[in-house]
Amino acid sequence: MVWHSAVCPVMGLRGELRTTTAAGFTREADHVLVGRPAAVMVDLSRLAFCDFEGAGALIGAERRVRELGGRLVLAGVQGRCARLLHRTGLDRIFRLLPDPAVTGGAGPPGAVTRGSAQLVAG
Protein backbone atom coordinates (compact mmCIF):
# COMPACT_ATOMS: atom_id res chain seq x y z
CA MET A 1 0.00 0.00 0.00
CA VAL A 2 1.06 3.57 0.58
CA TRP A 3 2.60 5.67 3.30
CA HIS A 4 3.07 9.43 3.44
CA SER A 5 6.43 11.11 3.65
CA ALA A 6 6.71 14.70 4.78
CA VAL A 7 6.30 15.68 1.13
CA CYS A 8 3.88 13.34 -0.65
CA PRO A 9 2.35 9.85 -0.81
CA VAL A 10 4.96 7.14 -1.39
CA MET A 11 4.30 3.81 -3.07
CA GLY A 12 7.09 1.38 -2.18
CA LEU A 13 7.49 -1.54 -4.56
CA ARG A 14 9.61 -4.63 -4.15
CA GLY A 15 9.87 -7.89 -5.98
CA GLU A 16 8.76 -7.73 -9.59
CA LEU A 17 6.57 -5.32 -11.53
CA ARG A 18 5.51 -7.45 -14.46
CA THR A 19 2.53 -8.65 -16.44
CA THR A 20 1.06 -10.51 -13.47
CA THR A 21 1.48 -7.65 -10.97
CA ALA A 22 1.00 -4.48 -13.06
CA ALA A 23 -2.78 -4.43 -12.55
CA GLY A 24 -2.34 -4.42 -8.76
CA PHE A 25 0.05 -1.48 -9.01
CA THR A 26 -2.42 0.37 -11.25
CA ARG A 27 -5.26 -0.16 -8.74
CA GLU A 28 -3.11 1.12 -5.88
CA ALA A 29 -1.99 4.15 -7.92
CA ASP A 30 -5.60 4.96 -8.79
CA HIS A 31 -6.47 4.75 -5.09
CA VAL A 32 -3.68 7.22 -4.25
CA LEU A 33 -4.82 9.61 -6.96
CA VAL A 34 -8.30 9.96 -5.47
CA GLY A 35 -6.72 12.49 -3.10
CA ARG A 36 -5.34 14.48 -6.07
CA PRO A 37 -1.82 14.84 -4.61
CA ALA A 38 0.56 17.33 -6.18
CA ALA A 39 3.19 14.60 -6.36
CA VAL A 40 3.41 10.84 -5.94
CA MET A 41 6.70 9.08 -5.33
CA VAL A 42 7.28 5.46 -6.32
CA ASP A 43 10.23 3.94 -4.45
CA LEU A 44 11.77 1.30 -6.74
CA SER A 45 14.89 0.71 -4.64
CA ARG A 46 13.68 -2.79 -3.71
CA LEU A 47 12.30 -3.70 -7.13
CA ALA A 48 14.28 -6.60 -8.60
CA PHE A 49 12.63 -6.74 -12.03
CA CYS A 50 10.38 -4.69 -14.26
CA ASP A 51 9.14 -5.87 -17.67
CA PHE A 52 7.49 -3.85 -20.45
CA GLU A 53 4.04 -4.36 -18.90
CA GLY A 54 5.36 -3.01 -15.61
CA ALA A 55 6.90 -0.03 -17.40
CA GLY A 56 3.54 0.50 -19.09
CA ALA A 57 1.87 0.61 -15.67
CA LEU A 58 4.36 3.27 -14.56
CA ILE A 59 3.68 5.26 -17.74
CA GLY A 60 -0.07 5.03 -17.15
CA ALA A 61 0.31 6.23 -13.56
CA GLU A 62 2.52 9.09 -14.69
CA ARG A 63 -0.06 10.13 -17.29
CA ARG A 64 -2.92 10.05 -14.77
CA VAL A 65 -0.95 12.06 -12.19
CA ARG A 66 -0.05 14.63 -14.87
CA GLU A 67 -3.71 14.91 -15.98
CA LEU A 68 -4.54 15.84 -12.39
CA GLY A 69 -1.86 18.53 -12.42
CA GLY A 70 0.65 16.54 -10.38
CA ARG A 71 3.93 14.78 -10.92
CA LEU A 72 5.08 11.18 -10.56
CA VAL A 73 8.63 10.76 -9.28
CA LEU A 74 10.61 7.50 -9.29
CA ALA A 75 13.15 7.04 -6.50
CA GLY A 76 15.92 4.49 -6.14
CA VAL A 77 15.80 3.19 -9.71
CA GLN A 78 18.59 0.66 -10.18
CA GLY A 79 19.65 -2.53 -11.92
CA ARG A 80 17.40 -4.02 -14.57
CA CYS A 81 14.70 -1.42 -14.06
CA ALA A 82 17.19 1.40 -14.63
CA ARG A 83 18.46 -0.30 -17.80
CA LEU A 84 14.90 -0.75 -19.11
CA LEU A 85 14.06 2.91 -18.50
CA HIS A 86 17.31 4.00 -20.18
CA ARG A 87 16.96 1.72 -23.22
CA THR A 88 13.39 2.83 -23.86
CA GLY A 89 14.08 6.53 -23.24
CA LEU A 90 11.67 6.57 -20.32
CA ASP A 91 14.43 7.92 -18.09
CA ARG A 92 13.87 11.23 -19.92
CA ILE A 93 10.13 11.20 -19.20
CA PHE A 94 10.15 10.36 -15.50
CA ARG A 95 11.73 12.49 -12.84
CA LEU A 96 14.29 10.16 -11.24
CA LEU A 97 15.69 10.53 -7.74
CA PRO A 98 18.72 8.32 -7.23
CA ASP A 99 18.48 8.21 -3.44
CA PRO A 100 15.46 6.48 -1.90
CA ALA A 101 16.43 8.00 1.47
CA VAL A 102 14.15 10.86 0.46
CA THR A 103 11.27 8.42 0.97
CA GLY A 104 12.45 7.37 4.39
CA GLY A 105 14.34 4.32 3.11
CA ALA A 106 12.33 1.15 2.65
CA GLY A 107 9.26 2.55 4.35
CA PRO A 108 7.45 1.20 7.35
CA PRO A 109 7.69 -2.48 8.29
CA GLY A 110 5.20 -4.90 6.79
CA ALA A 111 4.18 -5.68 3.25
CA VAL A 112 1.05 -6.57 1.36
CA THR A 113 1.70 -9.16 -1.34
CA ARG A 114 0.34 -8.53 -4.82
CA GLY A 115 1.36 -11.57 -6.87
CA SER A 116 5.14 -11.61 -6.89
CA ALA A 117 5.36 -7.85 -6.31
CA GLN A 118 4.80 -6.37 -2.92
CA LEU A 119 3.66 -2.90 -2.00
CA VAL A 120 5.33 -1.87 1.22
CA ALA A 121 2.57 -1.12 3.70
CA GLY A 122 2.34 1.04 6.78
Side-chain angles (χ1 to χ4, degrees):
M1 287 206 250
V2 177
W3 71 93
H4 291 270
S5 73
V7 179
C8 65
V10 179
M11 298 180 70
L13 302 182
R14 66 179 168 186
E16 299 180 342
L17 184 58
R18 58 189 303 145
T19 303
T20 58
T21 60
F25 168 76
T26 298
R27 281 190 300 276
E28 291 293 331
D30 288 345
H31 179 73
V32 169
L33 294 178
V34 168
R36 299 180 67 93
V40 175
M41 184 174 295
V42 181
D43 181 351
L44 302 177
S45 63
R46 298 172 110 192
L47 192 68
F49 178 77
C50 181
D51 67 8
F52 288 111
E53 187 78 19
L58 291 171
I59 293 166
E62 192 279 332
R63 180 184 47 79
R64 289 188 303 283
V65 171
R66 195 171 6 99
E67 287 171 354
L68 295 171
R71 180 158 202 166
L72 185 91
V73 178
L74 304 180
V77 180
Q78 58 189 349
R80 292 178 179 175
C81 188
R83 286 190 295 277
L84 174 68
L85 293 177
H86 178 71
R87 288 178 183 154
T88 59
L90 293 173
D91 59 343
R92 294 183 301 247
I93 293 173
F94 290 108
R95 171 127 192 247
L96 304 178
L97 293 178
D99 186 2
V102 173
T103 69
V112 177
T113 302
R114 299 282 192 263
S116 62
Q118 294 179 340
L119 298 170
V120 177

